[in-house]
Amino acid sequence: MMTLFLKTLADLKEPAILWRLFVPLLAAIVLVSLMGYGFFGVFLLSDVFTQSPAVTEFYAWSSQAEQTIGAIPLVGGVLLWTLGIVVAVIAGVLGLLLGSYLILLFAMIITGFMTDSLVKAVHDKHYPHTAYHGHGSMLGMLWKMLKFGLLLLLLFLVTIPMLFIPLINVVWFGLLGFVFFRYALVLDVGQVILPKKQFIKLQPLTNWTPTLTLAGFFGLSLMPLFSLFAPVLAVIALAHYFFDALSQQPQPLVDACVNKVSD
């Protein structure tokens, strides 16, 4: 695991890789600027939103509910305080998870367009004598990611009551995010580099070297700003891991696997 980290960090001095590291950051700055000046700056502060019937009714309902609960003798104030704490905790957890996940997902989408070029940069620098052909198709990969993402979303909805359990809520929903992060990146990079037979052998979650390495990068993604760089670093690390595995196979065997998949 540490070897992959060191190889990844060492590659950051390569111009072909270094400039790609900042592409998600630049894209995020443009997107946030457009949203800030457009959607949030105009729409949410305009009378169209603030004076809409739905918004005014919500504020009226929440005010009435607060007054009703507060009027309950003895326990009204305690109930309001307790509800406030519960809402604050849930909103905080959801805000942290959804915010970090949305930024990470955005960075993963941007990085997905650069996977081929990142893999090629790693290959040309470190593994020029290792031929690679990959397998599968872009549509097939997107369909697999969509199905897996919907399955995790369903699991998230079923386990929403766990939001009320401190610490466990962060660990559980963080684990769901990591599982998708790992699945998507392993599938993306693996299809570019490996023949199908070898990919199936190396993709399981119990393959601890890539799993622990990606867990480290996913942990970085939970920190502000680092989530924009984590997918690029993960792609570089996986490229090293898969090329190392591919280079250890006899070249005739690699070619045979590729030909078998193409047939």
Side-chain angles (χ1 to χ4, degrees):
M1 183 181 74
M2 286 305 300
T3 302
L4 287 181
F5 272 114
L6 294 176
K7 287 182 177 180
T8 301
L9 294 177
D11 276 344
L12 297 184
K13 67 179 185 293
E14 298 296 327
I17 292 176
L18 183 60
W19 73 265
R20 289 178 172 86
L21 182 67
F22 292 95
V23 170
L25 175 62
L26 296 175
I29 292 175
V30 173
L31 180 63
V32 170
S33 298
L34 292 175
M35 292 181 64
Y37 289 106
F39 182 75
F40 292 106
V42 177
F43 178 70
L44 292 184
L45 298 179
S46 66
D47 292 339
V48 175
F49 178 79
T50 57
Q51 301 301 323
S52 65
V55 173
T56 54
E57 287 180 11
F58 173 77
Y59 281 126
W61 175 84
S62 62
S63 178
Q64 182 179 0
E66 183 176 346
Q67 292 176 4
T68 302
I69 296 175
I72 300 176
L74 299 178
V75 298
V78 176
L79 285 175
L80 283 176
W81 180 82
T82 303
L83 288 174
I85 293 296
V86 171
V87 171
V89 170
I90 294 176
V93 172
L94 285 177
L96 174 64
L97 291 175
L98 294 179
S100 60
Y101 284 174
L102 285 175
I103 295 174
L104 181 60
L105 181 61
F106 170 78
M108 289 172 66
I109 293 172
I110 298 299
T111 304
F113 291 102
M114 302 187 295
T115 299
D116 288 347
S117 60
L118 282 169
V119 166
K120 186 177 186 303
V122 174
H123 172 267
D124 293 346
K125 175 66 178 178
H126 300 282
Y127 311 93
H129 302 296
T130 301
Y132 70 99
H133 304 279
H135 71 279
S137 65
M138 176 65 72
L139 288 178
M141 180 186 67
L142 293 176
W143 175 239
K144 290 178 182 178
M145 288 185 184
L146 178 61
K147 289 192 298 183
F148 194 76
L150 290 176
L151 179 62
L152 289 181
L153 178 61
L154 177 61
L155 186 58
F156 170 82
L157 295 175
V158 170
T159 57
I160 277 182
M162 294 179 67
L163 281 172
F164 295 94
I165 307 176
L167 187 59
I168 293 179
N169 50 14
V170 177
V171 174
W172 172 243
F173 293 113
L175 180 62
L176 291 180
F178 167 68
V179 170
F180 180 77
F181 176 78
R182 184 197 184 280
Y183 178 86
L185 288 174
V186 168
L187 182 62
D188 187 19
V189 181
Q191 283 200 173
V192 174
I193 299 175
L194 298 175
K196 185 174 182 180
K197 184 176 180 180
Q198 193 172 13
F199 173 75
I200 293 174
K201 180 180 178 182
L202 296 177
Q203 73 167 341
L205 189 64
T206 52
N207 188 0
W208 296 114
T209 298
T211 296
L212 294 177
T213 301
L214 293 181
F217 290 124
F218 181 78
L220 287 177
S221 73
L222 299 179
M223 302 170 60
L225 192 63
F226 281 95
S227 56
L228 293 168
F229 303 111
V232 176
L233 298 175
V235 167
I236 298 171
L238 285 173
H240 276 290
Y241 179 75
F242 289 147
F243 277 129
D244 280 336
L246 192 63
S247 64
Q248 294 173 14
Q249 297 291 326
Q251 193 61 37
L253 177 59
V254 174
D255 293 337
C257 292
V258 173
N259 293 333
K260 185 176 181 180
V261 171
S262 62
D263 294 338

